Amino acid sequence: QVQLVESGGGLVQTGGSLGLSCAASGSIFKTDVMGWYRQAPGKQRELVATITSGGITRYADSVKGRFTISRDTAENTVYLQMNNLKPEETAVYYCTVPRGWMNYWGQGTQVTVSS
């Protein structure tokens, strides 16, 4: 089992910045991929960004150039720095660790971007 705890969500104005953190514990491996998804009201959960243990990153096209994912492998923590936020990015942001056929998920943190 992997436990994931997100923090850092909140309310920000359009064009503002926000940073999220996710601390992993339990059976987390240094080689695990870690990532972020988000789910807006009435919409499906969607990929935001992932990062491998070697630092290879992958981003949704909609966030490229504005969001940065990083990790501290020694501390089992993944971060998401979000800049130039847009109202349509209001959502619950979830930390995730994919493991085989399933994903471990955090409880989510709300990000609200006001227009």
Side-chain angles (χ1 to χ4, degrees):
Q1 292 284 346
V2 175
Q3 292 79 45
L4 301 168
V5 179
E6 302 100 334
S7 60
L11 175 65
V12 64
Q13 291 185 332
T14 298
S17 299
L18 208 57
L20 305 181
S21 301
C22 172
S25 60
S27 301
I28 185 76
F29 302 124
K30 305 298 183 187
T31 54
D32 277 324
V33 172
M34 300 184 77
W36 293 92
Y37 277 66
R38 65 189 178 191
Q39 188 166 19
K43 295 189 176 182
Q44 289 190 328
R45 196 171 294 189
E46 63 175 3
L47 170 73
V48 176
T50 61
I51 185 167
T52 70
S53 58
I56 297 173
T57 58
R58 173 189 171 196
Y59 294 95
D61 288 342
S62 61
V63 308
K64 285 180 181 176
R66 299 185 297 116
F67 289 17
T68 302
I69 188 170
S70 60
R71 69 188 286 172
D72 183 335
T73 301
E75 296 295 326
N76 293 324
T77 302
V78 63
Y79 306 94
L80 185 68
Q81 178 62 39
M82 305 181 291
N83 298 327
N84 193 18
L85 281 159
K86 305 174 183 180
E88 56 265 36
E89 295 179 310
T90 292
V92 178
Y93 284 69
Y94 295 92
C95 177
T96 188
V97 171
R99 183 77 60 78
W101 56 272
M102 61 170 286
N103 282 52
Y104 290 103
W105 298 98
Q107 82 287 352
T109 185
Q110 176 70 44
V111 172
T112 302
V113 186
S114 64
S115 55

